[in-house]
């Protein structure tokens, strides 16, 4: 593997948890897009959304993706919205390995019910809205080169590692 490996998928699909472990197994650096965006802005993701708006967040996200695309071999967890726009998505597809961690919404719901991290676009009290957002995003995630069932974290790690060896 010479370029980056990008994990994409809906909020709560385990991109960071899986990414960290995959990086460890492959002895590569792990990068978390949201962390990099927050560091660049000097505030939390929630504060960026609240104070600067989603458009500003997406601009920084796109820049962070650009940097990761030229960073050589590494493992990156992207935010749930990073693979939706044409530019960052196509940059990721051409520069590295893209893997969609596909997790059914009920599993995501259970995971995020017990989560303390604040996600500005996830509203646990609006199951219909979350279903609509989930359905709307699926076709974009499906454009990733690989799809891995992310329901079981251990199995996902194994499968992602195997994918990197195939190429
Ligand atoms: C977002 C997902 C979040 C974060 C931001 C927007 C989204 O990342 O980038 O809150 O649009 O789905 P996670 O997927 O890690 O929750």
């Amino acid at each position: 593997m010479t370029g980056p490996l990008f994990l994409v998928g809906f909020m709560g699909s385990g991109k960071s948890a899986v990414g960290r472990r995959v990086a460890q197994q492959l002895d590569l650096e792990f990068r978390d897009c949201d962390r990099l965006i927050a560091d660049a802005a000097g505030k939390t993701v929630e504060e960026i959304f609240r104070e600067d708006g989603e458009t500003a967040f997406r601009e920084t996200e796109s820049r962070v993706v650009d940097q990761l695309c030229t960073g050589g071999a590494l493992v990156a967890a992207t935010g749930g919205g990073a693979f939706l726009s044409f530019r960052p998505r196509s940059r990721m597809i051409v520069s590295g390995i893209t893997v969609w961690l596909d997790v059914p919404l009920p599993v995501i719901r259970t995971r995020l019910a017990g989560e303390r991290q604040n996600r500005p676009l996830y509203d646990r009290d609006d199951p219909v809205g979350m279903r609509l957002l989930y359905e709307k995003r699926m076709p974009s995630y499906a454009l990733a080169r690989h799809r891995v069932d992310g329901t079981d974290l251990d199995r996902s790690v194994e499968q992602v590692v195997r994918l990197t060896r195939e190429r």
Side-chain angles (χ1 to χ4, degrees), residues 9-13 15-16 32 34 37 45-46 49 54 57-58 61 78-82 84 112 117-122 133 137 141:
F10 203 72
M11 294 171 268
S13 56
K15 294 161 293 190
S16 302
D32 188 303
D34 283 346
I37 297 165
V45 167
E46 199 194 356
F49 267 77
E54 182 172 353
F57 176 85
R58 297 297 173 205
E61 183 171 58
T78 63
L84 304 176
L112 295 186
Q117 192 186 332
N118 218 331
R119 290 181 163 87
L121 296 183
Y122 188 82
L133 187 65
R137 288 177 165 198
Y141 300 143

Side-chain angles (χ1 to χ4, degrees), residues 22-106:
V22 169
Q24 214 170 16
Q25 290 202 19
L26 298 175
D27 201 17
L28 292 172
E29 294 284 324
F30 171 72
R31 297 276 183 272
D32 188 303
C33 276
D34 283 346
R35 173 84 265 142
L36 295 172
I37 297 165
D39 287 349
K43 44 181 137 178
T44 65
V45 167
E46 199 194 356
E47 285 166 346
I48 304 172
F49 267 77
R50 197 175 53 234
E51 294 167 15
D52 311 327
E54 182 172 353
T55 306
F57 176 85
R58 297 297 173 205
E59 280 164 11
T60 311
E61 183 171 58
S62 188
R63 271 203 307 279
V64 161
V65 166
D66 276 354
Q67 286 160 10
L68 292 171
C69 284
T70 55
L74 53 87
V75 178
T78 63
F83 211 62
L84 304 176
S85 304
F86 178 78
R87 191 192 143 81
R89 182 176 62 233
S90 42
R91 289 274 287 156
M92 287 187 246
I93 291 172
V94 298
S95 340
I97 304 176
T98 47
V99 183
W100 169 29
L101 271 189
D102 186 12
V103 178
L105 189 54

Side-chain angles (χ1 to χ4, degrees), residues 153-164:
L153 284 186
D154 292 340
R155 261 185 65 80
S156 326
V157 172
E158 255 171 52
Q159 283 183 277
V160 175
V161 168
R162 199 172 314 136
L163 282 176
T164 66

